C-alpha cells in the first residue's frame, strides 16, 4: 500500500514535470529548417534545394537517414542520462527537461526529413500529432480542433505527460539503486528516445507515402501528355 502511494505521488510529480518540460521545449526548442536543410546537403549528401524535393527521393534513402538521426538522438540522451543518473531518483526532474528537448528535436528533424515543415499553425499542430503518436497517445478526438493551436498544443502536451509519467515511474524506479543509477539512467534515456523516435518515424513515413501517392495520382498539366508521347 505504501509503495503504491509512493508511486502515485511520484507519478503526479513526474507528470507535472513532463508537462512543464515539453511546454518549455515547445516554446524554446526548435530545429531551424534552413540550417537542417544545409546539414542534409553537406553532412548527409542529399541533393536537395528544398524539403519538397524529398518526395522525389528513394524512400529507403530517407529511412536510412531517419535511423541515423534517431541513433544520434539516443546517444546524446544516453550521455545525458548517465550524468544525471549519478544523482539517482532526485535528478529525474531536471533530466526530464533535457530529455524532452532531445526528444522534440529528434521528432522535428524526422518531420523535416520526410518533407514536413512547421511554419504554420496547421503544420505545428501536425508536429504535435506526431509527438503524441510517438508517445503512444491516441488524440483522434482532439484532432478535430487542431486549427486552434493555442488550445490544441497544451491539451496534447497534457496527454503526452500523463502517458509518459506512467512509463517513467515504472521503468525509472531502478534509479533508486545508487551504484547502478548511472548505467540505468543512460540505458533508459537511450531506449526512451529510440522508442519515441521509431514511432515518430513510422508516423512521418506513413504521411510521406500518402503525399507521394497523391502526387503520383495527380493528373498531368494540359498538354504534357502530348509532349511525353512526341
Amino acid at each position: 500500500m505504501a509503495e503504491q502511494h509512493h508511486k502515485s505521488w511520484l507519478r503526479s510529480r513526474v507528470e507535472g514535470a513532463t508537462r512543464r518540460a515539453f511546454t518549455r521545449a515547445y516554446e524554446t526548442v526548435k530545429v531551424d529548417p534552413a540550417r537542417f536543410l544545409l546539414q542534409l546537403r553537406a553532412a548527409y549528401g542529399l541533393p536537395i534545394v528544398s524539403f519538397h524535393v524529398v518526395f522525389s527521393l528513394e524512400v529507403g534513402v530517407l529511412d536510412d537517414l531517419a535511423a541515423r538521426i534517431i541513433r544520434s538522438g539516443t546517444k546524446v540522451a544516453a550521455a545525458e542520462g548517465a550524468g544525471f543518473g549519478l544523482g539517482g531518483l532526485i535528478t529525474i526532474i531536471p533530466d526530464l527537461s533535457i530529455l524532452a528537448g532531445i526528444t522534440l528535436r529528434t521528432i522535428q528533424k524526422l518531420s523535416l526529413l520526410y518533407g514536413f515543415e512547421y511554419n504554420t499553425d496547421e503544420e505545428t499542430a501536425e508536429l504535435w500529432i506526431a509527438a503524441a503518436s510517438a508517445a503512444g497517445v491516441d488524440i483522434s478526438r482532439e484532432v478535430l480542433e487542431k486549427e486552434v493551436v493555442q488550445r490544441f498544443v497544451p491539451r496534447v502536451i497534457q496527454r503526452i505527460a500523463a502517458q509518459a509519467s506512467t512509463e517513467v515511474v515504472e521503468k525509472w524506479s531502478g534509479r533508486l539503486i545508487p551504484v547502478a543509477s548511472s548505467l540505468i539512467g543512460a540505458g533508459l534515456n537511450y531506449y526512451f528516445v529510440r522508442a519515441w523516435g521509431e514511432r515518430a518515424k513510422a508516423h512521418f513515413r506513413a504521411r510521406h507515402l500518402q503525399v507521394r501517392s497523391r502526387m503520383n495520382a495527380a493528373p498531368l498539366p494540359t498538354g504534357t501528355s502530348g509532349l511525353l508521347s512526341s
Side-chain angles (χ1 to χ4, degrees):
M1 187 71 178
E3 182 181 353
Q4 189 64 33
H5 176 74
H6 175 71
K7 280 192 173 183
S8 177
W9 173 84
L10 182 59
R11 185 176 294 111
S12 178
R13 289 287 305 277
V14 171
E15 181 176 336
T18 304
R19 185 179 63 252
R20 291 190 297 273
F22 273 98
T23 299
R24 190 177 304 113
Y26 165 57
E27 296 170 349
T28 62
V29 176
K30 184 176 180 180
V31 174
D32 186 316
R35 291 186 63 181
F36 187 63
L37 182 63
L38 290 175
Q39 181 182 352
L40 288 176
R41 291 163 58 184
Y44 298 119
L46 283 190
I48 58 175
V49 294
S50 71
F51 289 108
H52 183 73
V53 180
V54 301
F55 292 99
S56 64
L57 300 178
E58 291 288 336
V59 177
V61 172
L62 301 180
D63 292 343
D64 289 342
L65 289 179
R68 292 174 64 178
I69 289 171
I70 294 171
R71 280 199 301 271
S72 176
T74 57
K75 288 178 181 178
V76 175
E80 176 264 331
F84 275 99
L86 291 172
L89 199 61
I90 296 174
T91 55
I92 276 184
I93 304 304
D95 185 30
L96 281 172
S97 296
I98 299 175
L99 186 59
I102 295 170
T103 304
L104 190 56
R105 283 183 64 84
T106 300
I107 293 173
Q108 289 173 343
K109 289 178 180 180
L110 292 171
S111 178
L112 293 170
L113 175 66
Y114 282 102
F116 304 108
E117 298 184 65
Y118 34 83
N119 297 319
T120 66
D121 283 354
E122 182 178 1
E123 290 169 343
T124 299
E126 290 290 347
L127 181 69
W128 282 96
I129 291 173
S133 177
V137 175
D138 178 15
I139 57 169
S140 53
R141 287 179 298 178
E142 286 87 342
V143 168
L144 297 175
E145 299 183 14
K146 68 181 182 180
E147 68 276 6
V148 187
V149 173
Q150 290 77 8
R151 291 205 307 264
F152 176 74
V153 173
R155 283 170 53 180
V156 174
I157 290 177
Q158 178 60 53
R159 295 285 300 278
I160 291 173
Q163 176 72 16
S165 64
T166 300
E167 183 176 347
V168 166
V169 171
E170 293 300 324
K171 294 184 178 180
W172 291 18
S173 58
R175 287 178 60 164
L176 288 167
I177 308 171
V179 176
S181 61
S182 180
L183 290 177
I184 292 173
L188 291 175
N189 279 19
Y190 176 90
Y191 287 110
F192 185 92
V193 174
R194 190 178 76 169
W196 282 47
E198 290 293 344
R199 289 194 290 258
K201 173 188 171 183
H203 176 92
F204 289 124
R205 189 180 193 277
R207 282 188 63 204
H208 177 93
L209 292 177
Q210 289 174 357
V211 173
R212 187 178 285 232
S213 178
R214 288 198 299 269
M215 291 171 64
N216 292 336
L220 292 171
T222 304
T224 304
S225 56
L227 291 173
L228 292 176
S229 60
S230 60

